[in-house]
Amino acid sequence: MEPADLLVDLDDDQRRAVVTESRLVAVIAGAGSGKTRVLTRRIAHRVLSGTAEASHTLALTFTREAAGELRRRLGASGVRERVEAGTFHSVALGLLRRRWMDTNRPVPTVVDDRVRLLRAARGQGEGSGAERASASAVLEEVNWALARGLGPNDYQRAARTAGRRSRVMSRVPDALEAYAAEKRRRGVVDLDDLLTMLVRELEGDRSYAEATRWRFRHLLVDEAQDLNPLQHRLVDLLRDGVDDLFLVGDPSQAIYGFNGTDPSLLVDVSDRFPGVEVIRLPVNHRSTPQIVAAGNHVLDGSGQGAGLVSARSDARPVAMRVLPDEAAEAAAVAGAVAACDPDMIRRGEVAVLARTHQVAGGVIEALEARGLRIRRRALASGSVERRLLDQAQRCSSASVLRSLAHDLLDDFDGEREGAGDQGRRSTDEREATARVGEVLVDFLREQPHGDGTALRSWMATVDPFGVRDVAGVEVLTFHASKGREWPVVFVVGVEKGLSPHRAATTTAAVAEEARLLYVALTRATELCSVSRAERRGGYRRQPSPFLDGFVSVEAEAAAPPSLRPVDGTRRREREVMARLERWRETAARRIGVLPSEFCSDAALRRIADSAPRDAAALDRATGLGAMTSERLIAGVTAALDGVD
């Protein structure tokens, strides 16, 4: 693939971000503006054009899914050499493991269950509701302190300077001390410890720091608005004296302040990095103008205007529903979901987003009462994968672990051959068994002498299951929806006390709550429905102030998305989509990219719905850009007309 091939489907702002000759760059990427595409193409363009070396490139992400997606896209973009891409924690663990081995130091076990460890350190059980709330407040302060590398003696002074006003502040130093002692007693470290330890190694050994910077001389950071002070420090140490740094993020999507993140890196990026080239991506290619307008309204009202514009053509207004109470709201949402095309539900294209797990739980009950399947993560509590991994993590040696892996795979093969027999396990359960077996084999390839304890550390920083979820409706909190998108989204419980949450007592916290609602709304690509209850928990609720003055329509004014059409119409629609998918696959193969990267599923559906007959109409439907649409329109019309 030629470097120019990477630019054909980018808008002007995206193209500038990919090809700029600046080495110190900050890309402010609004929701749906193609952040991951730009980040991937920037790496690929520099590698293919010879201005960067793949083996000396490091891309830091915040989730294992993002790192995996980045690697997949790079491979499809023609980058054949390995680019180091991983979360801050996984990269830190890899560097530290090599450092420990080189200096003959033992490799500690890594754990990622801070709640359980902290509870054990303080000798606490589950406790009453009030005790759980107090423990949660302590945990929040502990997270905030550890994200800054603060110890028991530093916390209170730093917290007062930062203007924190927690009622449990006096208890935090003891909690920090007890937590550190519990980790020492067990001989473990947590994920933030990895960053602290790596920073200490880089600051304490100049030769090691220079060697690390030489190895990773091209540094890229995804979701830079979510950096906490400890991660800031690590980035500074890695770029020191090099300044080959590419930051991508959106201050309007900074929603993890409770966990110690600090979005000021991007807000004040020009002051922090003198000479940085700031490039803004203000065009949302994902959501309809109505959805983007709702998100903008939320931010504008809180003084955080994002200035986002949609590249899409007009579509349905954002629906607003007011229900008598939480039960009626959950039932109404379940009814609307049930009216959606069942294929959309099967493909995971419908989501319900709630501010809290409690609200989400009520919706899940209503959905299940209608017989609708809920999409669940592979490692959810109670899943087959979780149970088998718990068993694997108790294995005392690599040989025992290897035997278990082969047993699981043999079990799957044996049942597959007799899959028609009565009494066999479900297909989902058998496939889950096989996935765990494959994961264990992958682990043992990487660590041939690893036991269950080493597996636990590996699992803390690696995502072996990717995004293999069970199909169905996705029900998530606003926080968990970050980085995701669905054609149809129902946002529930948008009322005062939930949005903003009653725990948001400072100006900064309320501003973050506005950003959180903005994130939830802009997850939708085609249809967004917002609802609230007049009474919740027996108490009257007020509308969310974030949507004051927002003009919308009653939900009944618009039909549910993709209602089941008559058989003949449905068959014709499927035939059109099949032809468009064949066109997309052929066109993507020509330039060496994934079909979904060449043209998203949502864009393909918009092409099928609008049947564009010229380049301008194709551009309006997809936001691909005038030049790209001109180049593609002949193939699109041929696919629509069934011409081979």
Side-chain angles (χ1 to χ4, degrees), residues 279-334:
I279 300 174
R280 300 184 183 277
L281 306 183
V283 180
N284 180 309
H285 296 278
R286 177 173 66 205
S287 304
T288 66
Q290 285 77 11
I291 294 168
V292 170
N296 283 343
H297 181 91
V298 169
L299 290 184
D300 289 342
S302 61
Q304 306 176 85
L308 203 61
V309 296
S310 172
R312 300 276 306 281
S313 55
D314 273 351
R316 301 181 189 184
V318 173
M320 303 283 288
R321 302 193 69 172
V322 182
L323 287 306
D325 56 31
E326 65 267 39
E329 181 187 37
V333 169

Side-chain angles (χ1 to χ4, degrees), residues 225-277:
Q225 78 279 351
D226 291 333
L227 288 168
N228 65 34
L230 194 53
Q231 291 158 337
H232 281 192
R233 182 60 186 147
L234 180 56
V235 169
D236 283 341
L237 287 167
L238 291 173
R239 74 176 184 90
D240 186 32
V242 180
D243 260 1
D244 191 332
L245 176 64
F246 190 83
L247 300 168
V248 183
D250 181 11
S252 297
Q253 297 185 69
I255 59 173
Y256 298 115
F258 69 92
N259 209 27
T261 62
D262 182 3
S264 65
L265 174 69
L266 281 187
V267 174
D268 305 321
V269 68
S270 295
D271 297 331
R272 185 175 176 86
F273 302 109
V276 66
E277 180 178 5

Side-chain angles (χ1 to χ4, degrees), residues 501-567:
H501 194 275
R502 60 182 177 275
T505 58
T506 65
T507 301
V510 172
E512 182 167 309
E513 288 288 317
R515 297 193 296 269
L516 192 54
L517 180 57
Y518 166 79
V519 166
L521 294 171
T522 55
R523 299 310 93 193
T525 65
E526 308 298 327
L527 182 72
C528 182
S529 176
V530 178
S531 62
R532 70 175 181 89
E534 290 186 310
R535 301 183 72 86
R536 188 177 299 275
Y539 294 94
R540 181 164 294 280
R541 295 298 184 100
Q542 298 298 316
S544 170
F546 296 144
L547 288 174
D548 279 352
F550 180 67
V551 178
S552 187
V553 297
E554 294 296 328
E556 288 75 17
S562 299
L563 287 172
R564 305 179 193 183
V566 297
D567 288 347

Side-chain angles (χ1 to χ4, degrees), residues 126-140 167-168 171:
E126 289 293 336
S128 65
E131 289 170 336
R132 287 196 299 272
S134 178
S136 177
V138 171
L139 175 64
E140 182 174 335
R167 65 184 184 280
V168 298
R171 295 164 53 188

Side-chain angles (χ1 to χ4, degrees), residues 183-201:
K183 287 187 294 182
R184 288 193 299 270
R185 186 181 72 79
R186 296 177 180 231
V188 302
V189 298
D190 72 11
L191 296 179
D192 279 338
D193 289 332
L194 295 175
L195 301 184
T196 300
M197 296 162 85
L198 180 57
V199 165
R200 189 181 304 131
E201 294 288 340

Side-chain angles (χ1 to χ4, degrees), residues 114 118 137-147 172 175-176 179:
R114 183 171 288 168
L118 188 58
V138 171
L139 175 64
E140 182 174 335
E141 292 303 300
V142 167
N143 287 337
W144 184 87
L146 295 179
V172 175
L176 287 167
Y179 181 61

Side-chain angles (χ1 to χ4, degrees), residues 381-458:
S381 177
S383 68
V384 175
E385 291 92 341
R386 182 73 271 166
R387 175 174 55 79
L388 292 174
L389 279 171
D390 287 344
Q391 178 184 348
Q393 289 173 358
R394 292 192 293 270
C395 290
S396 58
S397 67
S399 60
V400 175
L401 196 59
R402 190 170 288 106
S403 295
L404 175 60
H406 291 310
D407 286 347
L408 294 177
L409 293 173
D410 290 345
D411 188 20
F412 171 72
D413 289 337
E415 287 202 14
R416 182 172 55 184
E417 292 171 4
D421 296 351
Q422 293 295 320
R424 294 291 184 182
R425 293 176 299 171
S426 70
T427 299
D428 286 347
E429 187 173 356
R430 288 187 295 109
E431 290 179 350
T433 300
R435 284 200 294 270
V436 175
E438 291 167 357
V439 164
L440 298 184
V441 170
D442 288 343
F443 164 72
L444 289 165
R445 285 198 190 104
E446 184 176 320
Q447 299 186 36
H449 304 294
D451 59 5
T453 301
L455 174 67
R456 186 178 297 110
S457 296
W458 185 71

